[in-house]
Amino acid sequence: MADIIQLLPDHVANQIAAGEVVQRPASVVKELLENAIDAGADTIKLIIKDAGKTLVQVIDNGKGMSPTDARLSFERHATSKIKSAEDLFQLHTKGFRGEALASIAAIAHVELKTKQASNDVGNTLVIEGSHVVSQDVVVTPTGTSVAVKNLFFNIPARRNFLKSDTVELRHVVDEFYRVALAHPSISFVMYNNGSESFNLPISNYRQRIVNIFGNKTNEKLVPVDEDTEVLKISGFVGKPEFAKKSRGEQYFFVNDRFIKSAYLNHAIASAFEGLLKPGMHASYFLNLQVDPQSIDINIHPTKTEIKFDDEHTLYAILRAAVKHSLGQFNIAPVLDFERDPNLDTPYNYKETVISTPKVEVDRSFNPFNDASQPAVSSTQRSSHTSSFSRQEGHKSSSDWEGLYVGLESKSNESEADFSEVEFESEEETLSIFNGDHQVEQTHTTYQLHNKYIVSTIKSGMLIIDQFRAHQRVLYEEFLRNMTSREGVSQQLLFPLQLHFSPQDIDIVNQLKADLEHTGFVFSNVDEELVEITGVPVNVPESEVSIILEQLISDVEHEVPDSNFSATDLLAKSMAKSLAIKTGQSLQKDEQEHLVNKLFACKDPNVSPANRVTFVTMSVDELDKKFI
């Protein structure tokens, strides 16, 4: 029988490896930026066109490569980072697998220009789908320039799988953030479609955060600094009052490498326990320095997952360090066990003897005495206080009956006088349903566990999810306002000022026209500030910031389909933010109004997210339950 196992050609193996290493344009950005950092560059430029689908170019002023190294760098498992297996446990570079450039060259058109400082001229290399097209001498500055064009040109299915330019660009920016935050000692510049998006000069860590997320971020940061034998922590956490509903501003760096760790994230969340509202997430930018031998980063080609030798110790140290910083800067309440108790009492009263105050009461005072008796002045009453107290013991226990003598006759007289008084209009205190015309009130809806609305129908019973139903009602209402452009707005007494990062401001500008059709009125939108003077009539002022944050998050992470539109996304996001939440109690008329509104919708069966809004249970189904 013939042999059937054979070695795959290199270009096929590279395409297979590219499926893990290069998932989208952001993956190319990450690999090229990390290579530039490993080359010792202190100035790096990133050029993007069409969210990286057309061009991703990284230019650095590092040490460059020789002509031989330039050719060899595109071979699989060729790297300058490690030489032996022992080097895997002493990694001080970003890359070490030797797969990135080979994988990128297998699915794109790559043009490389590089030059070493000791050479007068450099070298250029053009590769298309793993095939070397040309290699020539070229005049170029010291350093390396890698241009990746037409990504996934030979894999149409993967190219069609890419999302819209807005979503892909957001992933590119996220990767740019992660690299730029980890290396504040390097200058980064990013160009998107010919315009400069970021220009980050060399600075300290705090200034790098402010340069990326805006000047308003400076007042939100609380420094964290802890140095132990196991772990060294430096960085910042956000104040609890600036927490967000999304997890966008959460960054862990281990040995200057961005990682994702749900376990360490839980340590931060536990440190903020009791300081955050439910559903809110604190921001943090933390650098962790650990012994390279105690971690394993060779878990996934993206190198964002790390295994630690002793995660429990790191968890405890991280939680304690964050909690200490919050208390040290008066963010969290602290208990002072060294408080001087003498400070509780004024100094002049420190030696004063404490005695029980004496209270004198006139127990013989009778408010029902005959008015003809002469009034006793307060002076006389105070002078006879002691005699009153002495006479009290000789009073008979039956004296209380005298207090009510004559009250019956006086009451009758007052009633007779009162009946002769005529009033201009009498107050009506009876119910409008009293008498023969009383209406029998019947409830057709009931609320179950503040989550479901139960109503009766001819065939049985109707159970409605109030949150999903209200989403459907608001969704169609917002869509109708935006398409007809007749959104009703209520003016605010004082303008509402909201601060966002420059990238979030770009999203607001994209959706500004649709937001105005729903009833929002913008008086000013600049690089970091949004000023609102009017909101839709059914939107409370306190919810505006939450709505916009949720909307920005939805735009960033939305997976668009063929029918994707900004108007539809905006309507869905606002409906989700403003809908009646689970656990909210509704009055009877509110329940009936919601039911009527739901069945007046064009598609009452499902929510905007295609979830079922109601279910029915017939009488026959109920009867079967009792068999």
Side-chain angles (χ1 to χ4, degrees):
M1 188 174 181
D3 299 332
I4 60 175
I5 296 178
Q6 58 184 347
L7 289 174
L8 291 174
D10 288 342
H11 69 279
V12 176
N14 290 337
Q15 285 194 14
I16 294 174
E20 293 182 339
V21 179
V22 184
Q23 301 173 356
R24 55 187 356 132
S27 304
V28 178
V29 172
K30 173 181 180 295
E31 298 295 343
L32 296 184
L33 289 177
E34 289 182 348
N35 284 343
I37 293 172
D38 289 339
D42 59 7
T43 300
I44 300 176
K45 294 181 181 180
L46 171 63
I47 302 173
I48 299 294
K49 286 187 179 179
D50 298 332
K53 299 176 184 177
T54 302
L55 173 66
V56 175
Q57 185 175 6
V58 173
I59 305 172
D60 66 71
N61 62 347
K63 55 188 177 183
M65 292 183 286
S66 65
T68 304
D69 288 343
R71 182 67 176 266
L72 192 59
S73 64
F74 288 94
E75 298 294 331
R76 290 190 68 206
H77 308 305
T79 180
S80 62
K81 314 298 173 60
I82 62 174
K83 295 182 179 180
S84 62
E86 288 75 14
D87 294 337
L88 289 173
F89 302 100
Q90 291 290 338
L91 287 174
H92 297 282
T93 57
K94 300 294 183 184
F96 57 88
R97 299 172 66 96
E99 291 181 334
L101 288 179
S103 300
I104 294 171
I107 55 175
H109 297 165
V110 180
E111 181 180 357
L112 171 70
K113 294 181 180 180
T114 183
K115 172 184 168 301
Q116 293 178 321
S118 58
N119 298 334
D120 296 332
V121 293
N123 195 265
T124 180
L125 187 67
V126 178
I127 300 178
E128 296 180 0
S130 295
H131 299 290
V132 178
V133 177
S134 64
Q135 184 173 6
D136 298 311
V137 176
V138 68
V139 177
T140 184
T142 302
T144 304
S145 170
V146 183
V148 180
K149 306 174 184 178
N150 304 322
L151 191 64
F152 299 123
F153 80 99
N154 54 354
I155 309 179
R158 178 62 70 88
R159 187 174 182 87
N160 294 333
F161 181 74
L162 295 178
K163 306 301 183 289
S164 65
D165 286 355
T166 303
V167 176
E168 293 298 339
L169 180 60
R170 187 62 192 181
H171 285 287
V172 170
V173 172
D174 285 343
E175 292 294 346
F176 180 79
Y177 283 175
R178 294 167 181 175
V179 177
L181 285 172
H183 300 276
S185 59
I186 299 176
S187 172
F188 289 90
V189 182
M190 176 178 172
Y191 297 92
N192 178 34
N193 292 332
S195 61
E196 184 179 279
S197 298
F198 295 95
N199 191 343
L200 308 177
I202 297 175
S203 61
N204 57 31
Y205 191 43
R206 188 183 193 117
Q207 190 61 42
R208 175 57 56 89
I209 297 173
V210 172
N211 289 337
I212 292 179
F213 295 100
N215 295 327
K216 191 69 176 178
T217 312
N218 190 34
E219 65 183 59
K220 304 177 183 179
L221 301 179
V222 178
V224 179
D225 192 5
E226 191 71 33
D227 192 356
T228 65
E229 296 180 357
V230 180
L231 174 68
K232 181 180 180 181
I233 305 173
S234 62
F236 302 90
V237 295
K239 295 180 181 179
E241 59 265 29
F242 297 105
K244 296 184 176 182
K245 293 180 69 68
S246 62
R247 299 178 181 268
E249 298 179 359
Q250 295 184 341
Y251 295 90
F252 273 125
F253 301 97
V254 174
N255 295 352
D256 297 331
R257 184 191 304 275
F258 173 80
I259 69 160
K260 297 178 181 179
S261 175
Y263 187 68
L264 296 183
N265 179 75
H266 188 273
I268 304 296
S270 62
F272 277 89
E273 186 177 0
L275 300 176
L276 299 178
K277 297 180 181 178
M280 305 299 285
H281 304 282
S283 303
Y284 53 80
F285 311 87
L286 296 176
N287 293 306
L288 312 181
Q289 296 293 329
V290 299
D291 185 359
Q293 294 185 357
S294 65
I295 60 176
D296 182 9
I297 60 178
N298 192 22
I299 305 298
H300 192 272
T302 59
K303 299 183 283 292
T304 57
E305 299 179 15
I306 289 184
K307 294 296 183 182
F308 298 93
D309 279 353
D310 190 357
E311 283 188 330
H312 298 287
T313 301
L314 298 183
Y315 182 99
I317 295 175
L318 183 61
R319 180 179 180 274
V322 174
K323 211 170 184 61
H324 177 261
S325 294
L326 293 175
Q328 182 181 7
F329 292 93
N330 296 326
I331 306 301
V334 295
L335 296 177
D336 186 3
F337 294 101
E338 298 180 356
R339 178 178 54 85
D340 186 357
N342 293 329
L343 298 177
D344 293 343
T345 306
Y347 181 79
N348 294 335
Y349 295 92
K350 183 177 179 181
E351 305 297 335
T352 303
V353 179
I354 300 176
S355 60
T356 305
K358 297 180 180 179
V359 180
E360 297 178 348
V361 180
D362 183 4
R363 299 185 180 276
S364 64
F365 174 70
N366 185 359
F368 301 102
N369 282 344
D370 191 358
S372 61
Q373 294 181 359
V376 181
S377 64
S378 59
T379 305
Q380 294 173 335
R381 203 162 43 240
S382 61
S383 63
H384 293 84
T385 302
S386 58
S387 63
F388 286 146
S389 59
R390 287 194 301 269
Q391 294 174 3
E392 181 189 3
H394 303 287
K395 294 275 183 190
S396 173
S397 61
S398 62
D399 286 351
W400 64 270
E401 297 176 353
L403 299 176
Y404 301 95
V405 176
L407 287 182
E408 182 178 358
S409 59
K410 290 182 179 180
S411 176
N412 295 335
E413 292 175 2
S414 62
E415 289 178 0
D417 296 338
F418 185 78
S419 61
E420 296 177 359
V421 179
E422 295 182 359
F423 293 92
E424 182 178 351
S425 62
E426 295 184 358
E427 181 182 2
E428 179 63 58
T429 59
L430 299 178
S431 171
I432 60 174
F433 297 119
N434 284 351
D436 297 336
H437 302 287
Q438 183 172 0
V439 178
E440 181 181 358
Q441 186 176 3
T442 59
H443 300 311
T444 58
T445 60
Y446 302 90
Q447 192 176 22
L448 180 64
H449 294 299
N450 290 339
K451 182 177 183 180
Y452 300 106
I453 297 176
V454 182
S455 180
T456 57
I457 54 178
K458 289 184 179 180
S459 61
M461 184 170 56
L462 181 71
I463 305 174
I464 302 172
D465 187 309
Q466 65 183 33
F467 177 58
R468 296 180 183 178
H470 200 211
Q471 278 191 72
R472 165 54 62 176
V473 173
L474 293 177
Y475 170 69
E476 294 196 3
E477 181 179 340
F478 289 137
L479 270 185
R480 186 165 55 252
N481 291 340
M482 283 185 280
T483 53
S484 62
R485 303 188 177 185
E486 296 179 353
V488 182
S489 176
Q490 59 180 356
Q491 297 299 308
L492 299 177
L493 184 60
F494 300 102
L496 184 63
Q497 294 184 344
L498 304 175
H499 295 270
F500 294 101
S501 65
Q503 295 68 45
D504 294 342
I505 293 294
D506 292 339
I507 297 177
V508 173
N509 283 324
Q510 295 174 15
L511 303 175
K512 182 179 177 182
D514 290 328
L515 285 170
E516 289 175 341
H517 295 158
T518 63
F520 283 96
V521 179
F522 296 90
S523 60
N524 181 33
V525 179
D526 58 18
E527 294 182 354
E528 298 181 8
L529 177 67
V530 175
E531 189 173 82
I532 300 175
T533 57
V535 296
V537 291
N538 55 350
V539 176
E541 182 179 350
S542 58
E543 296 285 332
V544 173
S545 61
I546 299 176
I547 292 173
L548 291 182
E549 287 180 6
Q550 183 66 46
L551 175 61
I552 292 170
S553 176
D554 290 343
V555 172
E556 291 174 354
H557 303 96
E558 181 69 20
V559 180
D561 51 23
S562 57
N563 298 323
F564 172 77
S565 68
T567 303
D568 184 72
L569 176 60
L570 175 59
K572 287 181 179 179
S573 180
M574 291 183 61
K576 181 180 178 181
S577 299
L578 294 173
I580 298 170
K581 301 299 187 292
T582 298
Q584 182 173 345
S585 178
L586 300 178
Q587 300 296 328
K588 296 297 179 182
D589 54 347
E590 293 175 331
Q591 299 171 20
E592 295 177 1
H593 179 73
L594 179 57
V595 174
N596 295 335
K597 279 283 191 180
L598 174 64
F599 290 100
C601 293
K602 294 181 180 179
D603 188 6
N605 297 313
V606 294
S607 68
N610 290 325
R611 302 287 185 88
V612 176
T613 56
F614 66 88
V615 294
T616 58
M617 183 174 290
S618 64
V619 177
D620 293 338
E621 291 178 305
L622 290 174
D623 291 340
K624 293 178 182 179
K625 302 292 183 181
F626 293 93
I627 295 177

